[in-house]
Structures are given as C-alpha cells and as structure tokens.
C-alpha cells in the first residue's frame, strides 16, 4: 500500500510537471506565432516600400525625360533667338555705317546749298535719312518684343547670369533663384521656381550659357541703337 501511495504521488508529480511543461510549450508557441506575425507584417511593409520605391523611380525617370525634352526645346529656341540677334546686330552695324554716311553726305550737301534753296541732292539725303529713321524704329520694335523673352520674371530686368530650373525649364537670374529660398514657406533652405510655386522645389539648375550669350548680344544691340539716336540728335 505504501508503494502504491508513493507511485500515485510520483504519477501526480509527473503529471503536474507535464502540465507545466505543456503550458511553457504553449506560451513558447504563442510567442513564436506573434514573432511570425510581426515578421509577416515587416515583410508586407517591405513589399509596400519596394513598390513605392519602384513607383517613385518610374515617376523620376518620367520627370527626367520630360525635363530633357523641355531642355532640348529651350535649346532650339535659344539658338533661333541667337540667330535673330546676330542678324539684328549685323543690321545695327550696317545702320550705324549708313547713318554716318548719310550725315557726312548731309554736311557736304549743306555746305554747298544756299540758305533759301535746297539742293536736289540734299532732298535725296533727307529722304534717305527719313527711311533710315523708319528702319531704326522697326529694329527697336523687334528689340522690344525680344526683351520680353529675355526678362527675368523675379526682378523684371534683363537676365544676369541666367540659370534654368529642372525639370520645369523656367529661367531666372542666378541671384534671383538663390534668393527665392527666403520666400519658400515650406523650407527656407530650398530655392524654388517662382513660376511653379513655393510648393515645388527645383530638382537642380544648370547655367544657361546660350541664353547669356543672347542677352549679351541684345544689350549690345540696345547700345548700338542708343548710339544711333545720339548721332541723330547731334545733327
């Protein structure tokens, strides 16, 4: 009987130990399930991040392609403007020579004419000078239309060291673009395109040397026209 009692006690102890072990196993299994669930959530989050990264990359490539297309178009426009400016500059030089020649002829004619009678040659020179003045007026009109294309929309003056914003393709003076950061209500450390708005920061800018050359020729053309006016006023 004592052996039976001892055997029962041992069996109960073994059963209790088995129950405790089962509880520990159950707790460990539950912990593993939670870890597996957490790992699955992490995998799903990683998949979403990867999908978002692929979408962002696709969008970035599309914006870059669009920026390249705009830059090519802008280059073509600048080259066309350069050709116009070269032609206008050559025309201004020729007009300066023609006006000087006309004034020389006019002075020579005035020396031979009397005060009361105009020499036929002087009348021809006067007519030529009027024609030249009309031509200068037409060139000035062409310059005024070109000035709008060469004006910075930030300072409303002719471009100084122009830069092109990418990907939008808008142009500004380099100083005006750098100063735009102070007006960026979202991040005052990032310059932005004033034409697009402060919510859109420029990805980068490039120095627009072709536009700068066009501006230089435009300024020279303006100076030449001003010199022509000065010569006319000195008659």
């Amino acid at each position: 009987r004592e052996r039976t009692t001892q055997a029962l006690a041992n069996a109960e102890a073994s059963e209790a130990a088995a129950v405790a072990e089962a509880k520990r196993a159950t707790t460990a299994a539950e912990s593993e399930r939670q870890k597996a669930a957490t790992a699955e959530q992490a995998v799903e989050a990683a998949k979403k991040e990867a999908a978002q990264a692929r979408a962002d990359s696709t969008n970035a490539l599309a914006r870059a392609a669009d920026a390249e297309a705009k830059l090519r178009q802008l280059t073509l426009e600048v080259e066309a403007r350069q050709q116009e400016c070269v032609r206008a500059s050559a025309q201004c030089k020729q007009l300066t020579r023609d006006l000087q020649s006309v004034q020389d002829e006019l002075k020579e004619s005035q020396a031979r004419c009397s005060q009361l009678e105009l020499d036929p040659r002087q009348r021809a020179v006067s007519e030529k000078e009027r024609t030249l003045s009309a031509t200068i007026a037409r060139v000035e009109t062409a310059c005024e239309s070109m000035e709008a294309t060469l004006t910075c929309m930030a300072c409303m003056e002719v471009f100084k060291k122009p830069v092109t914003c990418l990907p939008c393709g808008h142009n500004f003076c380099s100083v005006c673009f750098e100063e735009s950061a102070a007006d960026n209500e979202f991040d005052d450390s990032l310059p932005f395109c004033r034409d697009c708005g402060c919510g859109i920061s420029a990805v980068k800018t490039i120095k627009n040397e072709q536009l700068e050359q066009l501006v230089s020729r435009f300024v020279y053309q303006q100076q030449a026209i001003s010199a022509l006016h000065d010569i006319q006023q000195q008659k």
Side-chain angles (χ1 to χ4, degrees), residues 9-68:
N10 292 337
E12 289 176 356
S14 298
E15 182 181 2
V19 170
E21 184 65 28
K23 288 182 179 180
R24 286 194 295 272
T26 301
T27 301
E30 183 63 27
S31 176
E32 290 300 323
R33 282 195 296 271
Q34 292 177 354
K35 290 180 180 179
T38 301
E40 289 179 357
Q41 292 176 354
V43 169
E44 289 298 324
K47 288 181 179 179
K48 291 180 180 179
E49 290 179 0
Q52 184 62 41
R54 286 193 294 271
D56 292 342
S57 177
T58 301
N59 292 335
L61 290 174
R63 289 195 297 271
D66 185 55
E68 289 179 359

Short mmCIF file of all heavy atoms in Angstrom, two decimals, residues 9-68:
data_model
loop_
_atom_site.label_atom_id
_atom_site.label_comp_id
_atom_site.label_asym_id
_atom_site.label_seq_id
_atom_site.Cartn_x
_atom_site.Cartn_y
_atom_site.Cartn_z
N ALA A 9 1.76 9.27 -5.90
CA ALA A 9 2.35 10.61 -5.68
C ALA A 9 3.33 10.94 -6.81
O ALA A 9 3.35 12.06 -7.33
CB ALA A 9 3.06 10.63 -4.31
N ASN A 10 4.13 9.92 -7.17
CA ASN A 10 5.07 10.17 -8.28
C ASN A 10 4.35 10.45 -9.59
O ASN A 10 4.74 11.30 -10.39
CB ASN A 10 5.99 8.96 -8.45
CG ASN A 10 6.93 8.80 -7.27
OD1 ASN A 10 7.21 9.75 -6.55
ND2 ASN A 10 7.43 7.57 -7.04
N ALA A 11 3.24 9.72 -9.81
CA ALA A 11 2.47 9.94 -11.05
C ALA A 11 1.88 11.34 -11.08
O ALA A 11 1.87 12.03 -12.11
CB ALA A 11 1.37 8.87 -11.15
N GLU A 12 1.34 11.77 -9.89
CA GLU A 12 0.76 13.13 -9.85
C GLU A 12 1.84 14.19 -10.08
O GLU A 12 1.60 15.21 -10.76
CB GLU A 12 0.11 13.33 -8.49
CG GLU A 12 -1.17 12.52 -8.31
CD GLU A 12 -1.75 12.67 -6.91
OE1 GLU A 12 -1.09 13.35 -6.08
OE2 GLU A 12 -2.86 12.16 -6.65
N ALA A 13 3.02 13.96 -9.50
CA ALA A 13 4.11 14.93 -9.70
C ALA A 13 4.52 14.98 -11.17
O ALA A 13 4.75 16.05 -11.74
CB ALA A 13 5.30 14.54 -8.82
N SER A 14 4.58 13.78 -11.78
CA SER A 14 4.94 13.74 -13.20
C SER A 14 3.90 14.45 -14.04
O SER A 14 4.19 15.16 -15.01
CB SER A 14 5.10 12.28 -13.66
OG SER A 14 6.15 11.66 -12.95
N GLU A 15 2.59 14.21 -13.65
CA GLU A 15 1.52 14.86 -14.41
C GLU A 15 1.60 16.38 -14.27
O GLU A 15 1.42 17.12 -15.25
CB GLU A 15 0.16 14.34 -13.89
CG GLU A 15 -1.02 14.93 -14.67
CD GLU A 15 -2.35 14.42 -14.13
OE1 GLU A 15 -2.37 13.64 -13.15
OE2 GLU A 15 -3.38 14.82 -14.72
N ALA A 16 1.87 16.84 -13.03
CA ALA A 16 1.99 18.29 -12.81
C ALA A 16 3.15 18.86 -13.62
O ALA A 16 3.05 19.94 -14.21
CB ALA A 16 2.17 18.57 -11.31
N ALA A 17 4.27 18.11 -13.62
CA ALA A 17 5.42 18.58 -14.40
C ALA A 17 5.09 18.62 -15.88
O ALA A 17 5.46 19.55 -16.60
CB ALA A 17 6.62 17.66 -14.13
N ALA A 18 4.32 17.57 -16.32
CA ALA A 18 3.94 17.54 -17.74
C ALA A 18 3.03 18.71 -18.08
O ALA A 18 3.14 19.34 -19.15
CB ALA A 18 3.27 16.20 -18.06
N VAL A 19 2.09 19.01 -17.16
CA VAL A 19 1.17 20.15 -17.40
C VAL A 19 1.96 21.45 -17.48
O VAL A 19 1.72 22.31 -18.34
CB VAL A 19 0.10 20.20 -16.29
CG1 VAL A 19 -0.70 21.50 -16.37
CG2 VAL A 19 -0.83 18.99 -16.40
N ALA A 20 2.89 21.61 -16.53
CA ALA A 20 3.71 22.84 -16.53
C ALA A 20 4.52 22.95 -17.82
O ALA A 20 4.63 24.03 -18.42
CB ALA A 20 4.63 22.84 -15.30
N GLU A 21 5.09 21.80 -18.25
CA GLU A 21 5.86 21.81 -19.49
C GLU A 21 4.99 22.14 -20.68
O GLU A 21 5.38 22.87 -21.60
CB GLU A 21 6.52 20.45 -19.67
CG GLU A 21 7.45 20.36 -20.90
CD GLU A 21 8.63 21.26 -20.74
OE1 GLU A 21 9.05 21.56 -19.59
OE2 GLU A 21 9.18 21.71 -21.78
N ALA A 22 3.74 21.58 -20.64
CA ALA A 22 2.80 21.88 -21.74
C ALA A 22 2.47 23.36 -21.78
O ALA A 22 2.37 23.98 -22.85
CB ALA A 22 1.53 21.03 -21.56
N LYS A 23 2.28 23.96 -20.56
CA LYS A 23 1.99 25.40 -20.52
C LYS A 23 3.16 26.21 -21.07
O LYS A 23 2.97 27.18 -21.82
CB LYS A 23 1.69 25.82 -19.07
CG LYS A 23 0.35 25.33 -18.57
CD LYS A 23 0.10 25.81 -17.15
CE LYS A 23 -1.26 25.36 -16.63
NZ LYS A 23 -1.51 25.83 -15.24
N ARG A 24 4.38 25.80 -20.68
CA ARG A 24 5.55 26.52 -21.20
C ARG A 24 5.65 26.38 -22.71
O ARG A 24 5.97 27.34 -23.42
CB ARG A 24 6.83 26.00 -20.54
CG ARG A 24 7.00 26.45 -19.08
CD ARG A 24 8.43 26.18 -18.62
NE ARG A 24 8.73 24.74 -18.58
CZ ARG A 24 8.50 23.96 -17.52
NH1 ARG A 24 7.95 24.48 -16.43
NH2 ARG A 24 8.80 22.69 -17.56
N ALA A 25 5.35 25.14 -23.19
CA ALA A 25 5.40 24.92 -24.64
C ALA A 25 4.34 25.78 -25.35
O ALA A 25 4.57 26.35 -26.42
CB ALA A 25 5.19 23.44 -24.94
N THR A 26 3.13 25.83 -24.71
CA THR A 26 2.06 26.64 -25.31
C THR A 26 2.46 28.12 -25.35
O THR A 26 2.24 28.83 -26.35
CB THR A 26 0.76 26.47 -24.50
OG1 THR A 26 0.40 25.08 -24.49
CG2 THR A 26 -0.35 27.29 -25.09
N THR A 27 3.05 28.59 -24.22
CA THR A 27 3.49 30.00 -24.17
C THR A 27 4.56 30.27 -25.23
O THR A 27 4.54 31.29 -25.92
CB THR A 27 4.04 30.32 -22.78
OG1 THR A 27 3.03 30.08 -21.80
CG2 THR A 27 4.49 31.78 -22.70
N ALA A 28 5.51 29.34 -25.37
CA ALA A 28 6.58 29.50 -26.36
C ALA A 28 5.99 29.50 -27.78
O ALA A 28 6.40 30.29 -28.65
CB ALA A 28 7.60 28.37 -26.20
N ALA A 29 5.01 28.59 -28.01
CA ALA A 29 4.39 28.53 -29.34
C ALA A 29 3.66 29.83 -29.66
O ALA A 29 3.71 30.34 -30.78
CB ALA A 29 3.44 27.33 -29.40
N GLU A 30 2.97 30.38 -28.63
CA GLU A 30 2.25 31.65 -28.84
C GLU A 30 3.22 32.78 -29.15
O GLU A 30 2.98 33.63 -30.01
CB GLU A 30 1.43 31.98 -27.57
CG GLU A 30 0.59 33.25 -27.70
CD GLU A 30 -0.46 33.13 -28.79
OE1 GLU A 30 -0.89 32.00 -29.09
OE2 GLU A 30 -0.83 34.18 -29.35
N SER A 31 4.35 32.77 -28.40
CA SER A 31 5.38 33.79 -28.66
C SER A 31 5.92 33.68 -30.07
O SER A 31 6.13 34.68 -30.76
CB SER A 31 6.50 33.64 -27.63
OG SER A 31 7.55 34.56 -27.91
N GLU A 32 6.15 32.41 -30.51
CA GLU A 32 6.66 32.21 -31.87
C GLU A 32 5.64 32.68 -32.92
O GLU A 32 6.00 33.24 -33.95
CB GLU A 32 7.00 30.74 -32.10
CG GLU A 32 8.21 30.26 -31.32
CD GLU A 32 9.46 31.04 -31.70
OE1 GLU A 32 9.61 31.38 -32.89
OE2 GLU A 32 10.28 31.30 -30.80
N ARG A 33 4.34 32.41 -32.62
CA ARG A 33 3.30 32.88 -33.56
C ARG A 33 3.29 34.40 -33.66
O ARG A 33 3.13 34.98 -34.74
CB ARG A 33 1.93 32.35 -33.12
CG ARG A 33 1.68 30.89 -33.47
CD ARG A 33 0.20 30.54 -33.34
NE ARG A 33 -0.27 30.66 -31.95
CZ ARG A 33 -0.21 29.68 -31.07
NH1 ARG A 33 0.31 28.49 -31.41
NH2 ARG A 33 -0.66 29.84 -29.84
N GLN A 34 3.44 35.05 -32.50
CA GLN A 34 3.48 36.52 -32.52
C GLN A 34 4.69 37.04 -33.30
O GLN A 34 4.58 38.00 -34.06
CB GLN A 34 3.50 37.05 -31.08
CG GLN A 34 2.20 36.81 -30.32
CD GLN A 34 2.29 37.30 -28.87
OE1 GLN A 34 3.36 37.72 -28.42
NE2 GLN A 34 1.17 37.24 -28.15
N LYS A 35 5.83 36.36 -33.07
CA LYS A 35 7.02 36.77 -33.83
C LYS A 35 6.82 36.56 -35.33
O LYS A 35 7.22 37.38 -36.16
CB LYS A 35 8.23 35.97 -33.36
CG LYS A 35 8.70 36.34 -31.95
CD LYS A 35 9.91 35.51 -31.56
CE LYS A 35 10.40 35.85 -30.15
NZ LYS A 35 11.56 35.04 -29.75
N ALA A 36 6.19 35.42 -35.68
CA ALA A 36 5.93 35.14 -37.10
C ALA A 36 5.00 36.20 -37.68
O ALA A 36 5.18 36.67 -38.81
CB ALA A 36 5.33 33.74 -37.25
N ALA A 37 3.95 36.59 -36.90
CA ALA A 37 3.02 37.61 -37.37
C ALA A 37 3.74 38.94 -37.57
O ALA A 37 3.51 39.67 -38.55
CB ALA A 37 1.85 37.75 -36.38
N THR A 38 4.63 39.27 -36.59
CA THR A 38 5.40 40.52 -36.71
C THR A 38 6.31 40.49 -37.95
O THR A 38 6.43 41.48 -38.68
CB THR A 38 6.25 40.72 -35.45
OG1 THR A 38 5.40 40.77 -34.30
CG2 THR A 38 7.04 42.02 -35.53
N ALA A 39 6.92 39.31 -38.17
CA ALA A 39 7.79 39.16 -39.34
C ALA A 39 6.98 39.31 -40.63
O ALA A 39 7.43 39.95 -41.60
CB ALA A 39 8.49 37.81 -39.30
N GLU A 40 5.78 38.73 -40.66
CA GLU A 40 4.92 38.87 -41.85
C GLU A 40 4.56 40.33 -42.09
O GLU A 40 4.54 40.80 -43.22
CB GLU A 40 3.66 38.02 -41.67
CG GLU A 40 3.89 36.51 -41.74
CD GLU A 40 2.61 35.72 -41.53
OE1 GLU A 40 1.58 36.37 -41.28
OE2 GLU A 40 2.65 34.48 -41.62
N GLN A 41 4.25 41.06 -41.00
CA GLN A 41 3.93 42.48 -41.16
C GLN A 41 5.13 43.26 -41.69
O GLN A 41 4.99 44.15 -42.54
CB GLN A 41 3.49 43.06 -39.80
CG GLN A 41 2.15 42.52 -39.31
CD GLN A 41 1.82 43.04 -37.92
OE1 GLN A 41 2.62 43.71 -37.29
NE2 GLN A 41 0.63 42.69 -37.44
N ALA A 42 6.33 42.89 -41.18
CA ALA A 42 7.54 43.56 -41.65
C ALA A 42 7.76 43.28 -43.13
O ALA A 42 8.16 44.16 -43.90
CB ALA A 42 8.74 43.09 -40.82
N VAL A 43 7.50 42.01 -43.54
CA VAL A 43 7.66 41.64 -44.95
C VAL A 43 6.68 42.43 -45.82
O VAL A 43 7.03 42.94 -46.89
CB VAL A 43 7.46 40.12 -45.13
CG1 VAL A 43 7.35 39.77 -46.61
CG2 VAL A 43 8.61 39.36 -44.49
N GLU A 44 5.42 42.54 -45.34
CA GLU A 44 4.42 43.29 -46.10
C GLU A 44 4.81 44.76 -46.22
O GLU A 44 4.66 45.39 -47.27
CB GLU A 44 3.03 43.17 -45.42
CG GLU A 44 2.39 41.81 -45.54
CD GLU A 44 2.12 41.44 -46.99
OE1 GLU A 44 1.79 42.33 -47.78
OE2 GLU A 44 2.27 40.26 -47.35
N ALA A 45 5.30 45.32 -45.09
CA ALA A 45 5.74 46.72 -45.12
C ALA A 45 6.90 46.90 -46.10
O ALA A 45 6.96 47.88 -46.84
CB ALA A 45 6.15 47.16 -43.71
N ALA A 46 7.84 45.93 -46.08
CA ALA A 46 8.98 46.00 -47.01
C ALA A 46 8.51 45.92 -48.46
O ALA A 46 9.03 46.62 -49.33
CB ALA A 46 9.97 44.87 -46.70
N LYS A 47 7.50 45.05 -48.70
CA LYS A 47 6.97 44.94 -50.07
C LYS A 47 6.34 46.27 -50.51
O LYS A 47 6.51 46.71 -51.65
CB LYS A 47 5.92 43.83 -50.14
CG LYS A 47 6.51 42.42 -50.05
CD LYS A 47 5.42 41.38 -50.14
CE LYS A 47 5.98 39.94 -50.08
NZ LYS A 47 4.90 38.93 -50.15
N LYS A 48 5.58 46.90 -49.58
CA LYS A 48 4.96 48.19 -49.91
C LYS A 48 6.01 49.25 -50.18
O LYS A 48 5.89 50.05 -51.11
CB LYS A 48 4.04 48.63 -48.77
CG LYS A 48 2.80 47.77 -48.61
CD LYS A 48 1.92 48.26 -47.47
CE LYS A 48 0.66 47.42 -47.31
NZ LYS A 48 -0.18 47.89 -46.18
N GLU A 49 7.06 49.26 -49.34
CA GLU A 49 8.13 50.23 -49.55
C GLU A 49 8.82 50.00 -50.89
O GLU A 49 9.17 50.94 -51.60
CB GLU A 49 9.14 50.13 -48.41
CG GLU A 49 8.61 50.65 -47.08
CD GLU A 49 9.65 50.52 -45.97
OE1 GLU A 49 10.76 50.03 -46.26
OE2 GLU A 49 9.34 50.91 -44.83
N ALA A 50 9.05 48.73 -51.23
CA ALA A 50 9.68 48.41 -52.51
C ALA A 50 8.80 48.86 -53.67
O ALA A 50 9.28 49.42 -54.67
CB ALA A 50 9.97 46.91 -52.60
N ALA A 51 7.48 48.61 -53.55
CA ALA A 51 6.55 49.03 -54.62
C ALA A 51 6.55 50.54 -54.74
O ALA A 51 6.55 51.10 -55.87
CB ALA A 51 5.14 48.52 -54.31
N GLN A 52 6.55 51.24 -53.58
CA GLN A 52 6.57 52.70 -53.62
C GLN A 52 7.87 53.22 -54.23
O GLN A 52 7.88 54.19 -54.99
CB GLN A 52 6.41 53.26 -52.19
CG GLN A 52 6.34 54.78 -52.12
CD GLN A 52 5.14 55.32 -52.87
OE1 GLN A 52 4.06 54.76 -52.80
NE2 GLN A 52 5.33 56.42 -53.58
N ALA A 53 8.99 52.53 -53.88
CA ALA A 53 10.28 52.94 -54.44
C ALA A 53 10.29 52.76 -55.95
O ALA A 53 10.81 53.60 -56.69
CB ALA A 53 11.40 52.11 -53.79
N ARG A 54 9.70 51.63 -56.42
CA ARG A 54 9.64 51.42 -57.87
C ARG A 54 8.78 52.49 -58.54
O ARG A 54 9.11 53.01 -59.61
CB ARG A 54 9.08 50.02 -58.18
CG ARG A 54 10.05 48.89 -57.90
CD ARG A 54 9.57 47.58 -58.52
NE ARG A 54 8.35 47.11 -57.89
CZ ARG A 54 8.32 46.32 -56.82
NH1 ARG A 54 9.46 45.92 -56.26
NH2 ARG A 54 7.17 45.93 -56.29
N ALA A 55 7.66 52.84 -57.90
CA ALA A 55 6.78 53.88 -58.46
C ALA A 55 7.50 55.23 -58.48
O ALA A 55 7.44 55.97 -59.47
CB ALA A 55 5.49 53.98 -57.64
N ASP A 56 8.22 55.55 -57.38
CA ASP A 56 8.96 56.82 -57.33
C ASP A 56 10.03 56.85 -58.40
O ASP A 56 10.26 57.88 -59.05
CB ASP A 56 9.61 57.00 -55.94
CG ASP A 56 8.56 57.22 -54.86
OD1 ASP A 56 7.41 57.58 -55.22
OD2 ASP A 56 8.89 57.07 -53.67
N SER A 57 10.70 55.71 -58.59
CA SER A 57 11.75 55.65 -59.62
C SER A 57 11.16 55.86 -61.00
O SER A 57 11.72 56.59 -61.83
CB SER A 57 12.46 54.29 -59.54
OG SER A 57 13.41 54.17 -60.56
N THR A 58 10.00 55.23 -61.26
CA THR A 58 9.34 55.40 -62.57
C THR A 58 8.95 56.86 -62.78
O THR A 58 9.16 57.43 -63.86
CB THR A 58 8.09 54.51 -62.64
OG1 THR A 58 8.48 53.15 -62.46
CG2 THR A 58 7.41 54.67 -64.00
N ASN A 59 8.39 57.48 -61.72
CA ASN A 59 7.99 58.89 -61.83
C ASN A 59 9.21 59.79 -62.05
O ASN A 59 9.16 60.74 -62.84
CB ASN A 59 7.25 59.33 -60.56
CG ASN A 59 5.90 58.66 -60.43
OD1 ASN A 59 5.31 58.25 -61.42
ND2 ASN A 59 5.40 58.54 -59.21
N ALA A 60 10.30 59.48 -61.35
CA ALA A 60 11.52 60.28 -61.50
C ALA A 60 12.06 60.17 -62.92
O ALA A 60 12.50 61.16 -63.52
CB ALA A 60 12.57 59.83 -60.49
N LEU A 61 12.04 58.95 -63.48
CA LEU A 61 12.50 58.77 -64.86
C LEU A 61 11.61 59.53 -65.83
O LEU A 61 12.11 60.15 -66.79
CB LEU A 61 12.50 57.27 -65.21
CG LEU A 61 13.56 56.42 -64.50
CD1 LEU A 61 13.35 54.94 -64.81
CD2 LEU A 61 14.96 56.85 -64.91
N ALA A 62 10.30 59.51 -65.58
CA ALA A 62 9.38 60.24 -66.45
C ALA A 62 9.64 61.74 -66.38
O ALA A 62 9.67 62.44 -67.40
CB ALA A 62 7.94 59.93 -66.07
N ARG A 63 9.86 62.26 -65.14
CA ARG A 63 10.15 63.69 -65.00
C ARG A 63 11.46 64.06 -65.66
O ARG A 63 11.59 65.12 -66.28
CB ARG A 63 10.18 64.07 -63.51
CG ARG A 63 8.82 64.05 -62.83
CD ARG A 63 8.86 64.79 -61.50
NE ARG A 63 9.77 64.15 -60.56
CZ ARG A 63 9.43 63.19 -59.72
NH1 ARG A 63 8.18 62.75 -59.69
NH2 ARG A 63 10.33 62.68 -58.89
N ALA A 64 12.46 63.18 -65.52
CA ALA A 64 13.75 63.45 -66.15
C ALA A 64 13.62 63.48 -67.67
O ALA A 64 14.21 64.36 -68.34
CB ALA A 64 14.77 62.38 -65.73
N ALA A 65 12.85 62.55 -68.24
CA ALA A 65 12.64 62.54 -69.69
C ALA A 65 11.92 63.81 -70.14
O ALA A 65 12.27 64.41 -71.16
CB ALA A 65 11.84 61.30 -70.09
N ASP A 66 10.92 64.22 -69.35
CA ASP A 66 10.20 65.45 -69.68
C ASP A 66 11.12 66.66 -69.61
O ASP A 66 11.06 67.56 -70.45
CB ASP A 66 9.02 65.62 -68.72
CG ASP A 66 8.15 66.80 -69.08
OD1 ASP A 66 7.68 66.84 -70.24
OD2 ASP A 66 7.94 67.68 -68.23
N ALA A 67 11.98 66.67 -68.58
CA ALA A 67 12.93 67.79 -68.44
C ALA A 67 13.90 67.84 -69.61
O ALA A 67 14.22 68.92 -70.12
CB ALA A 67 13.70 67.66 -67.12
N GLU A 68 14.37 66.68 -70.05
CA GLU A 68 15.28 66.64 -71.19
C GLU A 68 14.60 67.15 -72.45
O GLU A 68 15.19 67.89 -73.25
CB GLU A 68 15.78 65.22 -71.40
CG GLU A 68 16.75 64.73 -70.32
CD GLU A 68 17.20 63.31 -70.56
OE1 GLU A 68 16.74 62.70 -71.54
OE2 GLU A 68 18.01 62.80 -69.76
#
